[in-house]
Amino acid sequence: AQSVAQPEDQVNVAEGNPLTVKCTYSVSGNPYLFWYVQYPNRGLQFLLKYITGDNLVKGSYGFEAEFNKSQTSFHLKKPSALVSDSALYFCAVIPGDNFNKFYFGSGTKLNVKP
Amino acid sequence: EAQVTQNPRYLITVTGKKLTVTCSQNMNHEYMSWYRQDPGLGLRQIYYSMNVEVTDKGDVPEGYKVSRKEKRNFPLILESPSPNQTSLYFCASSPGLAREQYFGPGTRLTVT
């Protein structure tokens, strides 16, 4: 069965500190990996994606993510957190053997305190 | 403005009363999809469509129907809603396979 895990329901960081939101996956084939962000009462917004190539991908708002094939992980990172980064973050995966299917993690609430 | 719209945004209904949630996109995207979002479960894919008249089941299709008669529209139909379909529903579109998706604002459905 295909699955995406976000092991932390909530991550708390102080403004200016680095942040990491974790994601691991178990899907068929070579996956396509995404991060989305959801602000209160809004739809999801695309942040970044990994298809192939460099394991470190950069996205919107200063976020980046590191793909680790051996650990089947795709952790979201930012060097210096902002209060405005506080939101719900979702990892999403497309299996390499079915590009029509999207699998989402359960989400991680990021709280950035001033 | 490029966007995905959904209507209604909020809906309270009773068990068994058929309803339709509309979804429309103005980006000429081929791929569209419906999700439900439940606390602790993230988003789960209900149905998707690769193009006009081409639809297929996602992970949780039971109790739902869809149609894709025009490229821009992808309505979600609940023929006989039940309380376990109370959820937050999102429609999304993307320009093609394995591409990033653009999400609508969501429809909060309550079935009593």
Side-chain angles (χ1 to χ4, degrees):
Chain A
Q2 321 278 18
S3 65
V4 181
Q6 292 181 240
E8 299 153 320
D9 290 337
Q10 189 166 293
V11 170
N12 299 312
V13 297
E15 188 173 32
N17 282 1
L19 69 88
T20 299
V21 181
K22 295 179 181 176
C23 173
T24 60
Y25 61 89
S26 175
V27 299
S28 311
N30 293 317
Y32 291 13
L33 302 154
F34 301 79
W35 276 100
Y36 288 85
V37 60
Q38 185 180 35
Y39 297 101
N41 300 314
R42 302 284 297 274
L44 278 70
Q45 296 176 33
F46 168 75
L47 274 181
L48 51 79
K49 67 181 177 184
Y50 173 84
I51 305 297
T52 187
D54 193 347
N55 288 344
L56 186 66
V57 294
K58 295 186 185 300
S60 307
Y61 313 119
F63 283 93
E64 56 192 29
E66 186 167 14
F67 170 62
N68 187 316
K69 186 172 183 177
S70 63
Q71 297 186 3
T72 60
S73 67
F74 188 56
H75 300 332
L76 181 70
K77 301 182 180 187
K78 188 173 183 182
S80 179
L82 299 172
V83 172
S84 57
D85 292 331
S86 299
L88 188 55
Y89 290 80
F90 289 97
C91 180
V93 179
I94 298 175
D97 61 353
N98 188 340
F99 292 153
N100 289 304
K101 292 285 189 80
F102 278 81
Y103 295 92
F104 283 81
S106 54
T108 298
K109 190 170 190 302
L110 174 65
N111 297 313
V112 182
K113 298 193 187 319
Chain B
E1 179 190 355
Q3 59 182 350
V4 179
T5 57
Q6 295 178 228
N7 283 293
R9 295 287 314 276
Y10 302 90
L11 179 59
I12 301 173
T13 189
V14 296
T15 299
K17 186 177 181 182
K18 181 179 179 179
L19 66 91
T20 299
V21 184
T22 65
C23 173
S24 184
Q25 50 95 4
N26 62 1
M27 296 169 279
N28 201 36
H29 285 170
E30 292 184 347
Y31 182 94
M32 297 185 75
S33 187
W34 275 103
Y35 298 88
R36 59 178 290 172
Q37 182 180 9
D38 301 292
L41 296 177
L43 278 76
R44 292 178 292 168
Q45 194 172 32
I46 302 171
Y47 269 96
Y48 60 88
S49 170
M50 295 82 81
N51 214 324
V52 175
E53 302 291 2
V54 183
T55 64
D56 206 349
K57 297 176 182 178
D59 267 6
V60 288
E62 294 78 19
Y64 305 95
K65 284 176 58 178
V66 293
S67 69
R68 187 97 180 269
K69 292 182 169 52
E70 305 165 282
K71 198 171 190 179
R72 63 183 293 128
N73 296 324
F74 190 44
L76 179 70
I77 303 156
L78 284 71
E79 298 250 346
S80 183
S82 62
N84 64 12
Q85 293 178 298
T86 292
S87 188
L88 179 57
Y89 290 86
F90 287 102
C91 180
S93 72
S94 74
L97 288 179
R99 299 280 302 273
E100 60 271 22
Q101 294 184 91
Y102 296 78
F103 283 80
T107 295
R108 187 166 292 281
L109 172 65
T110 302
V111 183
T112 61

